[in-house]
Amino acid sequence: MSEIVLEHIVKKYGDGFPAVNDVSLTIADGEFVILVGPSGSGKSTLLRMIVGLEDISDGSLSIDGKRVNDVAPRERGLSMVFQNYALYPHLTVYENIAFPLRLAKGQFSDQEIDRRVNQAAQMLELGEHLQRKPANLSGGQRQRVAMGRAIVRDAKAFLFDEPLSNLDAKLRGQMRTEISRMQRTLGTTTVYVTHDQTEAMTLGDKVAVLKRGVLQQYASPKELYDE
Ligand code: ADP
Ligand code: ADP
């Protein structure tokens, strides 16, 4: 649970027009912020800079008052869920979810790992599928495993990059409800990229609108869409 502050963040790839251009944004502790904008507007780039997968060209990024521009991704304490899930095909659902805990060598006992994996699986209705491999799961179940892996560690924030875009409409609706419930339960600061207006309206405390790398608006869904 953390505050994320972006000050005059810029990303330049080569010498073209900046992909992200002077974005300043304060994401309060526990807040659920949606990033929207047309394709190519810089949403993924912004998310990837926050999580540390992309260098920041200019400006300052801080988490809980500490500048993290030069802090390695793993040290930032954030959890990211990708659009394509990025599951390990050779590992079971259980081991996919347990993976971040096993990575933190010795920090979690087998008993603690078991407790956390089961808790995440229960929250995401994966309890019956723990011994399956990703290939034997539906798209919605795979998406849940990716979520499980993100929440199994106590992250300072969750970052979601269009997590529902590969699901059909019915599942999207169901997952929307689950993500919302999960975020309220855990109270974890969340940044969520989407181009789906329903997701933007129903999930977020605030919506940040990007266009050609520039922040156009930052307001509650009500303020944005009730006009
Ligand atoms: P969005 O997520 O809103 O679709 P992106 O952040 O993916 O937008 O892209 C923003 C802009 O930056 C686009 O013009 C895109 O082509 C460009 N871009 C993204 N990644 C790279 C990269 N690795 N190298 C060069 N240009 C990139
Ligand atoms: P999305 O729009 O879903 O964010 P894209 O398909 O635009 O994803 O981009 C996929 C990958 O390609 C990302 O890692 C992005 O950084 C990279 N990319 C996007 N645009 C460019 C570009 N113009 N040059 C090089 N890499 C790019």
Side-chain angles (χ1 to χ4, degrees), residues 32-116:
F32 197 139
V33 169
I34 307 281
L35 271 182
V36 294
S39 181
S41 58
K43 305 182 295 294
S44 290
T45 299
L46 194 57
L47 206 66
R48 291 161 63 83
M49 282 193 284
I50 295 174
V51 82
L53 296 173
E54 203 78 73
D55 287 337
I56 297 169
S57 306
D58 203 359
S60 173
L61 170 69
S62 34
I63 301 174
D64 294 332
K66 179 177 180 280
R67 184 182 155 103
V68 297
N69 287 50
D70 301 318
V71 172
R74 279 238 241 139
E75 312 296 321
R76 294 188 190 184
L78 309 174
S79 263
M80 177 135 173
V81 176
F82 297 92
Q83 186 174 7
N84 59 6
Y85 319 143
L87 302 179
Y88 301 102
H90 59 292
L91 298 180
T92 61
V93 168
Y94 185 101
E95 287 302 332
N96 264 286
I97 297 176
F99 196 81
L101 304 177
R102 303 234 187 260
L103 215 55
K105 288 205 185 345
Q107 208 178 316
F108 301 94
S109 67
D110 284 347
Q111 198 185 3
E112 177 65 7
I113 290 176
D114 201 53
R115 190 185 71 75
R116 285 173 177 251

Side-chain angles (χ1 to χ4, degrees), residues 23-34:
V23 168
S24 297
L25 195 63
T26 295
I27 300 164
D29 186 18
E31 207 161 47
F32 197 139
V33 169
I34 307 281

